[in-house]
Amino acid sequence: MKPFDDGCAANDEFQSVLGGSYRGELVKDLLRQRVRMPDPVSDELARPELAGRIIDAMAPGKVLFLESPPGFGKSHSLSSALHQSDGLADRVRWLTLTGQENDAGRLLALLEIALKPASAARIQGQQNASSYSDALSMVLSGAGAAKEDESRILVIDNVGMVAHPASIALLQQLVLETPSNLSLVLLSRKPLPFETHSLELAGRFRRLGPEDLELSRAETFEFFSDSLAERKITTITAEHLYALTEGWITPLGLYERELREMSDARLPIQDSASVERFLRDALLIPLTPGQQRSLRIMAELDVVSDELFLALADSACDHAFRPSAAAESGIPLRAIPGRGRWYRFNPMVHEWLQTPAMDGMEERAVRASRWFSHRGRFTEALRYALIGGAHDEAVRIASEASEALLIGQDTASLLSLRQSMPSELFEQSSRLKIVYGWVHAIGGQFAQARGLIDELEKTSDGMNQGRIDALRAFILRGEGAVPEALVAAQKALDSKDLSGQGRLVTELVRSSALCAQGNFSEAREANRNAMRIARETNDGGSEALAVYAHARIELGKGALKHAEQLLRTGLDMAMNGAARVARVGEVRLQLHLVMVLWHQGREAEADRLLVTCLRHAEQTRDLGLLLAMALRVLICRTHGRIDEAFIWIGRAERTMQAWRVDVSAYVPVLEALKGSIWLASGQFEAASQALERLGPWRSANCVPDMFPMMPGLLDCLQARLELARDDEVCAAATLQSIRDKHQEMVPFGLELHARLLESVISWRQKGPAAGQKDLIAAIGLAAKEHYISPFFELQRELQPMVEKVWPQLPSTPFVAEIGRHYGIYAEAADVATLAEPISEREQGVLELIAKGLSNQDIADKLHISLHTVKTHARRINAKLEVKSRTQAIVRARELGLL
């Protein structure tokens, strides 16, 4: 074997132009030019959280793997993090691979250059190594013998270019034998071609994927801040860009550059020239014609699996290029959590690949419809029957599967079918009328649903009466008529012709109505009945909805942690079930999980999930979209983004009108949101007018299904307005009426609002001591579940009192979070007693230590290594001058750090 480090290396095609060299040799000075770090990008978006995660993962002796499709900023994010960290950039050797490194000798020469310090002497016997593996072992041994202060970071970019087994073996050896003073970072569009689970179990391997590299919604808005300020785009456009790209940074960057340069009207992002070039160059050009056709057939489906793709692929496709293989090759296909090998495209790529439509698309849609129908997945079967123009097939599916479609149907597809269905066919089928009664009711079109019921009762001669009563109960519950809904639901359950799924839906209606009355014990019993029916019918989707109903009961009781656990369980059921629950049911689960996260102040998590909820609710024409938009308004108002909040209110109003939703279903909600914003902004007259417009609706005492606390919150709004006018007597009477209206127990969130407002009244009428006592009691009640949203909602009323009694409030993380939101911090003199202040990262670790988490739990929660947590803990103890975790917690509370 030719020595690899004698100044030459094998297999370079350019040596013939070099004086004194001959074919088959390579001058190493040329290869040294390959080992260089990218220069930092000017005007980059600062991403300190991502940079922190990257730096924390680059511990000596460990491996960091950055994997994502092209355009997610792997190299840029790493380079930026290294340049931002003092001293790290000088220790980095950056090697970008090409296809030439499939020659193992060339790759070995590059690794030897990158790993061996320039001043290092040649290791004795290295040039006589009998194999590439032995030679690399000698190089690694020499690198490992370096002094601790000579530790290095080796970055190997574009690892996916290496496909030859000999070169792959060298990379695997490098990963397995990484010296203790070397941090190894690998970047690739594809998964590594060798196993790493043993290293992960040993804590030596960390992967960051596209979900870590993509921009968050807040970062996307910051990225387009200049364009927003110059009114080149609106906040709605920025929201759409984030939902469409899911934070894919390169298309967003290209589009932002076009916005700066263009003078005429802007194009949609998927139609802009630079983004189209990027998608073509990154996704299509590397593929063969057969692979390109396979990819475009996959894009004709919302979600796709290998089995479904093979059922649709034709002879022109590359049958080996299945969705799983495409995802592993770097195509932005993302596995759907909990659904095995099912995948979905990035929304922008999904839309781009479908333009223009390929020949035979309708025929493939019909085949997909039959594929889903054969497996009992009627919502998807119906959707693709409509896309394929097979209306007779669609009508057959809707008629035969009407019972299955009662729960969470794809409302948008069914409404599309109705528009093209012959009227005489619809008139002849009572089962179709029942199906569409449910469709209209789910979409908030209660008047249309009631019209279908009236027609059925005139012509059915008592047939389907149980189904009609079940639908009537659902409509009444949606309209907020709780007592009437309970009567209709009981009548439906007494009927002998009601199916199992009909009984399940009716029990869920009873559970919701009883929960709205505060009768949580009977609501739970109805929920248990629904769960039993779902298990008897072996329907995973129905069981998930029963879990959702249970979560809503716990949410009403204020048990946020239990509610979150139940909602996540329901989502797992929805995704793991053989017959996946329809999208409407899944969206409702997600929406209420967002609500739980918002109540607990976990807005970053809520924000990301809410984007998905908005998109899915719009696709399915689900009235849950109104709740999603209302949550977005509340988040905007909490952060003082009043203009953006009103934009969302306007968008919600336009959408509800376009969907022909009954006015009674959305106007009260939007008027209540307006009143709340005006009150928080000090516009008392505007808030008063909003409450006056809500007068008829308040007097009817309607309790809408999606907003069960609405009547009580309107009473709280009235009390807040009376407090703003210094009328504490009327405010106290209004708050008392909240408890008088509930037959059983007041929902926890409503009770908390009332108690906080009562503490303000006590403060004003009875003095600081009484107000402080009531406030501390309310804080103690809320802290158990970290129910912090009422403190954000009532900041205007609570701020003066909280500022006054702040020193007397308990020193807990919950109170500290209230203080941060209110702009109240620990005394500067106390913090100044530290010789060296606690850093932001150390503060995060300290707060988790105070919660009783172990070092490993903290590492898992913050996504950092155990070694890093221990380092932070040692520094915290040193700065606080203590020797144990317990002493650190006590001392931190004394200083106001907790």
Side-chain angles (χ1 to χ4, degrees), residues 47 214-221 242 247 607-608:
R47 305 184 66 188
E214 64 192 18
L215 297 181
S216 67
R217 179 180 176 275
E219 288 172 331
T220 302
F221 271 71
Y242 174 65
D607 192 76
R608 183 174 293 271

Side-chain angles (χ1 to χ4, degrees), residues 367-422:
R367 284 158 56 191
S369 173
R370 291 169 183 163
W371 190 91
F372 281 114
S373 182
H374 179 69
R375 288 158 179 78
R377 296 172 61 169
F378 300 111
T379 298
E380 290 92 341
L382 187 59
R383 172 175 171 75
Y384 290 108
L386 288 169
I387 292 174
H391 292 150
D392 291 343
E393 183 84 2
V395 170
R396 180 192 62 79
I397 293 169
S399 296
E400 294 181 1
S402 60
E403 295 295 334
L405 288 168
L406 287 179
I407 298 178
Q409 56 265 69
D410 186 342
T411 315
S413 295
L414 286 166
L415 288 173
S416 177
L417 170 62
R418 178 69 184 91
Q419 293 172 0
S420 57
M421 188 185 301

Side-chain angles (χ1 to χ4, degrees), residues 609-850:
L609 183 56
L610 191 54
V611 174
T612 303
C613 293
L614 283 161
R615 185 172 67 248
H616 288 172
E618 281 188 303
Q619 290 172 352
T620 56
R621 295 284 292 269
D622 175 26
L623 189 58
L625 179 66
L626 182 61
L627 175 58
M629 291 182 168
L631 286 168
R632 177 65 75 204
V633 171
L634 293 173
I635 291 174
C636 292
R637 188 206 56 206
T638 298
H639 291 281
R641 302 196 301 267
I642 304 302
D643 290 343
E644 187 179 343
F646 275 110
I647 287 172
W648 277 103
I649 290 175
R651 181 179 173 184
E653 188 170 17
R654 290 190 298 273
T655 303
M656 296 298 105
Q657 290 172 350
W659 287 5
R660 299 181 180 179
V661 174
D662 286 13
V663 171
S664 61
Y666 69 90
V667 167
V669 176
L670 300 183
E671 287 294 330
L673 289 171
K674 292 176 187 176
S676 176
I677 295 172
W678 281 322
L679 187 59
S681 304
Q683 301 180 51
F684 304 133
E685 186 58 34
S688 177
Q689 292 173 5
L691 281 172
E692 288 178 9
R693 289 192 293 271
L694 287 167
W697 193 77
R698 289 180 65 191
S699 61
N701 196 32
C702 293
V703 187
D705 181 48
M706 298 298 294
F707 304 89
M709 290 199 305
M710 179 65 69
L713 290 178
L714 288 179
D715 288 337
C716 286
L717 196 61
Q718 178 70 47
R720 293 171 63 189
L721 184 61
E722 290 162 346
L723 282 173
R725 294 170 173 170
D726 297 325
D727 191 348
E728 289 83 7
V729 175
C730 287
T734 302
L735 293 174
Q736 182 59 43
S737 70
I738 295 175
R739 296 183 173 86
D740 296 339
K741 289 178 182 178
H742 284 79
Q743 299 177 8
E744 300 288 337
M745 178 177 160
V746 179
F748 183 86
L750 193 53
E751 174 70 23
L752 193 53
H753 275 81
R755 287 197 179 202
L756 289 173
L757 290 173
E758 286 168 348
S759 71
V760 175
I761 294 172
S762 296
W763 168 271
R764 294 184 182 183
Q765 291 184 332
K766 302 177 183 178
Q772 175 183 322
K773 180 180 177 182
D774 290 347
L775 178 62
I776 291 176
I779 288 174
L781 191 66
K784 296 176 182 177
E785 297 287 337
H786 206 86
Y787 207 126
I788 202 166
S789 62
F791 294 87
F792 297 166
E793 167 75 20
L794 303 176
Q795 181 175 353
R796 182 182 181 86
E797 289 79 13
L798 293 174
Q799 180 99 32
M801 178 170 57
V802 172
E803 289 178 351
K804 290 287 186 182
V805 304
W806 180 256
Q808 284 72 46
L809 295 180
S811 297
T812 65
F814 183 76
V815 173
E817 187 170 343
I818 295 172
R820 283 193 293 271
H821 186 78
Y822 282 28
I824 305 171
Y825 302 97
E827 291 290 334
D830 289 339
V831 179
T833 59
L834 291 178
E836 184 180 356
I838 299 291
S839 71
E840 185 177 345
R841 286 189 191 171
E842 290 166 352
Q843 179 68 33
V845 172
L846 178 60
E847 290 174 359
L848 294 177
I849 289 175

Side-chain angles (χ1 to χ4, degrees), residues 845-871:
V845 172
L846 178 60
E847 290 174 359
L848 294 177
I849 289 175
K851 291 181 180 180
L853 272 67
S854 67
N855 287 341
Q856 186 61 59
D857 290 338
I858 295 172
D860 295 340
K861 191 172 185 66
L862 298 181
H863 305 289
I864 59 178
S865 67
L866 181 61
H867 171 77
T868 303
V869 175
K870 291 180 179 178
T871 300

